[in-house]
Amino acid sequence: MTRSINFFEEQFQKQVAKGEFALNPFEEAVLPYLSAGVLDLGCGLGNLAIAAAKQGCAVTALDASRTGVDRVNEAANKLGLPLAAYQADLSSYVIDGDYDSIVSIGLLMFLPQNKARAMLADIVCHTKPGGVAAINVLIEGTTFMGMFEPGHHYLFSEHELSEAFKGWEILLSQHDDFPAPENTVKKFHTIVARKPV
Ligand SMILES: C[S@@+](CC[C@H](N)C(=O)[O-])C[C@H]1O[C@@H](n2cnc3c(N)ncnc32)[C@H](O)[C@@H]1O
């Protein structure tokens, strides 16, 4: 298990114990764009996957965290939602099938560069024509490195997501900077794009 997977597993155990479940700002921003069959890569505690299922989507959610996956499936069973979560190491994952919506909030930067880029290309490939991809990553200029395994992370360039979705309709594109511990910063790019039909 990498440092980042351990980091989130410990964080999720504490959040489950306290019942802390809320959409983060990136999840809130992309939720309105998700529809029909959704693949959530790096679902974490599944707040977005659950919200998407509540608005009528059929969701497949993947994450390395046992605690995250268990929480998603418990909530789905309790609420009778069309949502299933599976534990998976996404650093060696190939998407099987095409989806109306593929969402990945805060995952790709935790993969080595070649895997992060391959996963982004796979998302581009497996979004159905007319479907939507919603991606959030940390980008260059980020100086908070505490969550990263050395050599096992990738900060995307400022325009890399925009270039990946060239020719798609850009529905949302926003850059956000957040202060982090010890005078460091986290710089994010979030993009939602619709694939041409
Ligand atoms: C910043 S959290 C984002 C979680 C959720 N999408 C959200 O926005 O709250 C990063 C997630 O990536 C997952 N993750 C990191 N590396 C992973 C890997 N190699 N395979 C699967 N999941 C991984 C972590 O377990 C964690 O849930």
Side-chain angles (χ1 to χ4, degrees):
M1 224 190 236
T2 66
R3 181 191 295 183
S4 53
I5 293 173
N6 280 330
F7 175 92
F8 287 107
E9 178 59 27
E10 284 173 22
Q11 182 178 306
F12 293 160
Q13 285 176 11
K14 287 181 198 154
Q15 286 178 258
V16 167
K18 290 183 192 163
E20 284 177 1
F21 304 118
L23 292 172
N24 63 45
F26 308 122
E27 293 175 315
E28 278 181 2
V30 306
L31 177 61
Y33 298 99
L34 304 182
S35 65
V38 175
L39 176 65
D40 185 350
L41 298 166
C43 64
L45 285 172
N47 299 314
L48 179 60
I50 292 164
K54 281 182 178 171
Q55 71 180 22
C57 301
V59 186
T60 301
L62 304 174
D63 200 280
S65 166
R66 183 77 258 160
T67 299
V69 166
D70 286 348
R71 187 264 161 162
V72 176
N73 286 326
E74 276 167 31
N77 289 339
K78 193 170 162 193
L79 299 170
L81 296 172
L83 161 61
Y86 304 94
Q87 191 175 27
D89 180 357
L90 296 172
S91 64
S92 55
Y93 187 78
V94 178
I95 300 171
D96 63 337
D98 295 344
Y99 293 83
D100 302 290
S101 310
I102 301 183
V103 61
S104 186
I105 303 296
L107 167 78
L108 297 182
M109 59 273 206
F110 294 109
L111 309 183
Q113 176 175 322
N114 61 332
K115 304 289 186 183
R117 287 182 163 168
M119 177 68 85
L120 182 58
D122 215 23
I123 291 168
V124 167
C125 186
H126 285 282
T127 304
K128 287 182 182 174
V132 159
I135 314 294
N136 163 274
V137 295
L138 281 171
I139 62 170
E140 287 173 354
T142 294
T143 52
F144 180 69
M145 306 303 272
M147 300 180 293
F148 291 135
E149 170 105 7
H152 201 96
H153 66 276
Y154 177 53
L155 296 178
F156 285 74
S157 65
E158 188 178 352
H159 301 295
E160 196 165 346
L161 291 185
S162 303
E163 283 156 16
F165 293 105
K166 211 169 173 181
W168 294 36
E169 181 188 0
I170 303 303
L171 305 171
L172 174 94
S173 177
Q174 66 183 49
H175 286 83
D176 299 287
D177 292 359
F178 289 98
E182 296 169 9
N183 285 327
T184 59
V185 65
K186 293 185 199 174
K187 294 173 82 72
F188 291 94
H189 188 196
T190 308
I191 198 162
V192 180
R194 186 183 305 285
K195 193 174 200 172
V197 179

